[in-house]
């Protein structure tokens, strides 16, 4: 084992341990442990950072590059550590200190519907994030530097026109849907005991191929997937006993993330190619968007399809005979695909979700560029919600204050949700082309060919390739919204009996 | 915060994180995670060790001692790091490598009842442990150096006569008991659903004062208590659905450990005085024996007393009405205190347990001193079991191969179980003297005065004092078996209607 491999393994170990601490804090830890746990995580983060930026590691990286200038892991390491070394320590400290404080203030401000309370913290966060962008460096737009933290290679110049094209498609489609009668959904809100929800969801996750000898499902306030190498990939969900789709599709969503992590090639475990060095945590997926493409693909493309429920609805009905009495598979399928504009992103349906993302991305890129002031933010938010979703925002708590992201400085992460949708459709189209029997296989509950295609073209590579390279290799093209637009048009045209939609 | 305090806090954080990894591996981790988890633990152990033995830390320790020569934490740190630095790196590596291998071979040998298969590994382990003792240093007996790892200050010269005195008491008492009729115990073996066992045990743990906002109870193959600072102290138990006492008294036992850890003074969190630097893990208790004194005190002294079951048996009977129909509190009390010689240590009752310990301590101290060969070990074991317990050992699997300890090199840890029993009786007698209403308080279910006395005199001090100092301060005397002998005599004389026993 080379010195570079040995030190990389140590760093990946430490990042995996940070993930264990994080998982435990969010699923198992008694409340009394929170303060000392935060100290423990901070100490371990410091140790990992120190090792990552140590002269010994730099020397090992350079030796690896001397031995093989095309060593992907070494190249990525050098890029990441060079970027991190460009960030002044004072800025890192200021950002860390502000994050803790700003999150608390945000929570208070949201509870009190008091944007002015949060505004100075947000201003400071925008300011420091811009400083961070300047330190990291960019070519055209400061927002590019932040995008790069979550979606390496994605630029504002590519992203904004792509989002605009989606808007031009989604808004008229939404308006057409709104003119149609609403599907029946009353049966989704009946009483569904959590234990039975869990059993059913977990069976579906296993049917997709989630390997429980290397994983487990727990409950948490916010669902997530996290991995400590491909050998231990855990997911969580949240049970609402009077709303069936939450835990059910939440589990399928996290299962998509988990299939990605469980599918990373074993030889990438304990390497830089299973570590996000800029974000300083262990992850096998190539980027946030690539990861999201897999959660969305399994949740929406597979799990919300008509074929899926034609196959699985009888078992669901057997599990919940009273709650679903007299409901057909077709009705259930329509209900879980209902489209309706809403104020809250995390409650949005498959179609309107992108509209929530677009408004955030446009506003945050302008904040970072200095084109929009924090003071003008609420009005800009509300105008956009009115224009895209047709809704009046009644208060900032249900408007500009709804998400935690900006209080933690996660500027640049929102786009990855929509980029994930776009990529999912591209990957799926490529899989369809490669697997002529795909639709029939999925209809019969055989998820192995799809999972194996995805593993072969995406999962096993870990972080070896950039998202763009991965997309090119798997689909033959760069980011292209057409397959996604085609999918949504066809799906909702059928579901809502619309005139054929461009 | 001094540099010594800052670096100590980091080291304690890392040791607490090691405990989190350990807890997770034993209670939550899917089986597929074991290999990469072991690598993660090894990496983190290496980081902690490096920090502990770094020149920077030594400099900080010396600066702290310059500032205050009586700084307990700094004194203990210097002692521990000096001892660790005396151990050659090659020996540490050889021991670590042998442990992994010897454990596997031991498990195979035990399953196959094949002592000769294990013998060469045990020989090597004895040899390396003796090397370790020589490196650590000792005055009179090489076994002292190993004892010191678990029970600082305890010597072979004190220990062996103490054990002999217990034997001279226990063996005739056991023989007297064996001449009496056996109590009825059939009702203990009925079907007790695990969930109800858990609910009842946890209520008792909370009644003792176990704070669930800083703790939790899980299931594991081997019960244990573990802490990640006093703010997060977790216990586990093992449920046997056809044997009630296992999980019930197991939970009370671990609760005793947990009360100790939860009672450590807050200002000792993240210090050396909540860290076992020689063993390299986080713990607030002063030693293994001191810790065991608390688990035994709450399990046996409180939890197996007649007053305890007079108070709690009605609730137990209500929880299990069919299983305990027609059983009285007195019968239940007699059943859970039944004495019967057995081959297996972990199944032994309160009285015979010490006899199992004595034989191990005598044999292992002679192995380390080179007075007994591994080849002669099984015969020596079997002779001792016959003499003390009156039993013939049918095979080595139920004899010399039954415990994992020697395969992992834990020579010197066995005595702490019996030392804990002895200390528990001393502490209890001191508490009785200080709290004239103690018996009445316990009889009424008021555990607060006892817990507060123990917190005041033991728990809050963490590892500030050696076990001997702690005992002296709390009871006015050193290790003294008399209170323990008095307690056992009185208890079993009453339970078995014996003639008054010396």
């Amino acid at each position: 084992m080379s010195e570079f491999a040995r030190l990389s393994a140590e760093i990946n170990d430490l990042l995996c341990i940070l993930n264990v601490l994080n998982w435990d804090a969010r699923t198992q830890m008694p409340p009394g442990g929170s303060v000392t746990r935060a100290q423990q995580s901070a100490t371990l983060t410091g140790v990992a950072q120190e090792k990552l930026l140590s002269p010994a590691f730099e020397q090992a990286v350079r030796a690896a590059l001397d031995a093989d200038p095309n060593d992907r892991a070494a190249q990525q390491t050098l890029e990441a550590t060079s970027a991190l070394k460009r960030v002044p320590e004072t800025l890192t400290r200021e950002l860390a200190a502000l994050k803790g404080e700003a999150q608390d203030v945000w929570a208070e401000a949201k509870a009190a519907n008091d944007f002015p309370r949060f505004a100075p913290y947000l201003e400071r966060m925008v300011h420091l994030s811009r400083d961070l962008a300047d330190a990291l460096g960019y070519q055209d737009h400061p927002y590019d530097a932040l995008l790069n933290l979550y979606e390496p290679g994605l630029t504002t110049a590519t992203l904004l026109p792509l989002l605009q094209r989606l808007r031009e498609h989604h808004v008229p489609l939404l308006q057409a849907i709104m003119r149609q009668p609403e599907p029946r959904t009353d049966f989704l809100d009946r009483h569904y005991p959590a234990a039975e929800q869990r059993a059913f969801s977990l069976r579906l996750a296993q049917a997709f191929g989630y390997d429980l000898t290397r994983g487990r499902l727990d409950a948490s306030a916010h669902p997530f997937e996290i991995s400590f190498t491909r050998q231990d990939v855990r997911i969580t969900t949240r049970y609402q006993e009077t709303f069936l789709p939450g835990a059910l599709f939440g589990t399928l969503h996290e299962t998509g993330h988990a299939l990605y992590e469980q599918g990373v090639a074993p030889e990438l475990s304990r390497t830089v190619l299973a570590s996000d060095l800029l974000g300083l945590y262990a992850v096998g997926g190539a980027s946030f968007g690539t990861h999201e493409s897999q959660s969305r693909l399994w949740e929406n493309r597979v799990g919300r399809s008509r074929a899926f429920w034609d196959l699985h609805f009888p078992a669901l009905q057997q599990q919940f005979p009273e709650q679903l009495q007299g409901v057909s598979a077709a009705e259930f399928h329509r209900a879980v695909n209902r489209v309706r504009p809403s104020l809250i992103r995390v409650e949005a349906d498959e179609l309107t979700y992108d509209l929530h993302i677009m408004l955030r991305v446009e506003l945050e890129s302008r904040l970072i560029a200095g084109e929009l002031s924090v003071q003008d933010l609420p009005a800009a938010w509300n105008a956009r919600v009115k224009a895209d979703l047709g809704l009046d925002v009644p208060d900032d708590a249900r408007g500009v204050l709804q998400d935690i992201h900006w209080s933690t400085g996660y500027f640049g992460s929102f786009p990855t949700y929509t980029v994930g949708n776009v990529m999912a459709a591209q990957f799926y189209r490529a899989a369809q082309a490669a697997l002529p029997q795909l639709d029939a296989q999925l209809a019969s509950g055989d998820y192995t060919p799809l999972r194996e295609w995805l593993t072969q073209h995406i999962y096993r590579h870990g972080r070896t390739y950039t998202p763009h390279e991965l997309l090119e290799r798997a689909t033959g093209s760069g980011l292209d919204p057409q397959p996604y637009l085609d999918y949504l048009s066809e799906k909702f045209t059928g579901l809502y009996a619309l005139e054929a939609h461009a």
Side-chain angles (χ1 to χ4, degrees), chain A residues 203-212 214 255 259 262 298 447 451:
Chain A
R203 272 201 301 279
L204 292 180
Q206 289 181 279
F208 283 174
Y210 181 43
D211 176 1
L212 285 178
R214 299 186 286 135
T255 297
L259 292 177
Q262 289 194 333
W298 289 100
Y447 302 107
R451 193 184 65 252

Side-chain angles (χ1 to χ4, degrees), chain A residues 133-334:
Chain A
D134 291 341
L136 291 167
Y138 54 87
Q139 292 225 307
D140 297 324
H141 196 291
Y143 189 57
D144 292 355
L146 304 178
L147 279 178
N148 198 55
L149 297 173
Y150 307 98
E151 204 59 27
L154 184 64
T155 62
T156 315
T158 305
L159 178 64
L160 292 184
L162 183 141
L163 296 183
Q164 185 54 29
R165 188 158 157 215
L166 295 189
R167 172 179 283 122
E168 284 161 13
H169 170 270
H170 286 26
V171 172
L173 179 56
L174 174 62
Q175 287 166 353
I177 288 170
M178 287 299 94
R179 287 189 291 269
Q180 299 299 101
E182 285 225 336
R184 193 191 148 192
T185 59
D186 58 295
F187 47 83
L188 298 178
D189 305 324
R190 291 179 181 153
H191 183 76
Y192 293 90
E196 292 176 47
Q197 287 191 44
R198 182 180 195 280
F200 188 81
S201 306
L202 199 52
R203 272 201 301 279
L204 292 180
Q206 289 181 279
F208 283 174
Y210 181 43
D211 176 1
L212 285 178
T213 70
R214 299 186 286 135
R216 49 179 285 146
L217 169 64
D218 292 86
S220 67
H222 299 282
F224 64 100
E225 170 278 323
I226 198 163
S227 75
F228 327 138
T229 79
R230 73 192 295 279
Q231 293 301 118
D232 191 350
V233 179
R234 305 185 186 182
I235 61 175
T236 74
T237 197
R238 183 169 62 111
Y239 300 99
Q240 300 159 269
E241 293 210 315
T242 55
F243 184 61
L244 178 62
L248 179 55
F249 290 99
T251 304
L252 300 189
H253 181 98
E254 301 309 330
T255 297
H257 285 302
L259 292 177
Y260 196 162
E261 294 292 317
Q262 289 194 333
V264 171
E267 59 270 24
L268 300 189
S269 282
R270 307 186 77 222
T271 75
V272 163
L273 301 176
S275 313
D276 182 333
L277 298 182
L278 282 176
L280 213 61
Y281 70 103
V283 64
S287 70
F288 278 61
T290 322
H291 236 300
E292 202 66 15
S293 78
Q294 297 312 301
S295 54
R296 301 289 171 122
L297 190 153
W298 289 100
E299 175 196 354
N300 290 332
R301 193 66 188 244
V302 179
R304 284 189 213 263
S305 69
R306 176 65 191 266
F308 186 80
W309 289 110
D310 282 345
L311 180 67
H312 294 293
F313 187 72
L316 185 68
Q317 206 168 29
Q318 206 168 357
Q319 181 108 42
F320 301 110
E322 284 175 29
Q323 297 91 326
L324 294 174
Q325 198 178 11
V327 178
S328 70
E331 279 177 307
F332 187 81
H333 174 241
R334 276 197 297 276

Side-chain angles (χ1 to χ4, degrees), chain A residues 17-53:
Chain A
I17 296 169
L18 272 170
N19 281 357
V20 175
L21 295 182
N22 185 348
W23 175 83
D24 181 79
R26 295 173 71 179
T27 64
Q28 314 291 336
M29 188 178 74
S34 61
V35 171
T36 47
R37 174 59 57 84
Q39 292 162 327
Q40 291 154 6
S41 289
T43 292
L44 191 58
T45 301
V47 170
Q49 204 148 30
E50 203 180 303
K51 289 204 175 267
L52 181 62
L53 301 181

